[in-house]
Amino acid sequence: MTSRVLYLFGSAAPPVLDVAGVIRDAQKRGFDVCLGLTPTAARWLGDRLPELAQLTGHPVRSEYKLPGEPDVWPKADVIAVAPATFNTINAWALGITRDFVVGVVAEGVGKGIPMVAMPCVNAAYARHRQFERSLGELWEVGVRVLYGPGGFVPNQPGQGKPREYPWHLVLDEAERVVGPAA
């Protein structure tokens, strides 16, 4: 079986704490997974980063490499951004690339890399006008955004259900985008 390379990028929302299980599921589906995290998500998973690097076989990244340093990951066949927080969605749509994860996906739009995103925001954030604008911008540039019925549906603030985050939808869509493993 030939592996397809999946960049799995996570933001600091509670479902990111379950990323090891998601990596295993993606690997069972024939993906070679490279894990990227926003700086806060990397801090949340700090003591687990060595285990996650061993699980993927690649360094976990949360920072840009230095100029002249070689790339440590193979090229992506597909990028999945989940959980994607309010900040990540808005920064990506607006092209604000302070963080490694957002920089890679912003550039990925121009490179034509297939991308899937599934937000993880509460209903208060979802009512912010910029959030809807940002989702629209991402849809317009070809990102497959899994939001609303058939994707992530926001909860009221303080009533999140991180264990119910529909990770399988992200991996299903990533598989649809790149096709079956050979």
Side-chain angles (χ1 to χ4, degrees):
M1 181 188 296
T2 303
S3 283
R4 299 145 307 156
V5 177
L6 168 68
Y7 287 7
L8 179 59
F9 287 167
S11 303
V16 81
L17 299 173
D18 297 324
V19 76
V22 179
I23 292 167
R24 286 185 200 93
D25 187 9
Q27 290 170 332
K28 287 177 190 168
R29 295 172 184 236
F31 284 109
D32 178 11
V33 181
C34 298
L35 180 62
L37 300 167
T38 62
T40 304
R43 187 167 50 93
W44 285 12
L45 293 167
D47 59 338
R48 294 174 50 201
L49 295 178
E51 166 199 331
L52 293 167
Q54 184 174 15
L55 179 61
T56 64
H58 302 285
V60 176
R61 296 195 53 200
S62 61
E63 296 181 5
Y64 288 107
K65 66 182 183 67
L66 295 175
E69 284 185 338
D71 238 336
V72 294
W73 287 355
K75 289 188 181 197
D77 293 305
V78 61
I79 301 174
V81 185
T85 59
F86 179 80
N87 186 58
T88 295
I89 291 289
N90 289 324
W92 182 6
L94 294 169
I96 301 170
T97 60
R98 283 188 297 249
D99 296 339
F100 165 74
V101 163
V102 177
V104 172
V105 293
E107 186 178 36
V109 168
K111 289 181 171 181
I113 300 170
M115 289 185 269
V116 177
M118 190 161 60
C120 185
V121 298
N122 69 39
Y125 280 124
R127 283 191 286 275
H128 193 288
R129 289 174 39 180
Q130 185 56 52
F131 184 69
E132 282 299 321
R133 290 183 194 123
S134 294
L135 291 178
E137 178 65 23
L138 295 177
W139 277 312
E140 268 187 50
V141 298
V143 177
R144 290 159 175 87
V145 180
L146 307 175
Y147 180 74
F152 177 79
V153 177
N155 299 296
Q156 290 304 311
Q159 296 178 10
K161 301 171 187 159
R163 296 273 183 226
E164 294 177 24
Y165 188 73
W167 282 107
H168 66 282
L169 298 176
V170 174
L171 297 179
D172 291 349
E173 190 62 24
E175 281 187 303
R176 267 192 290 281
V177 167
V178 296

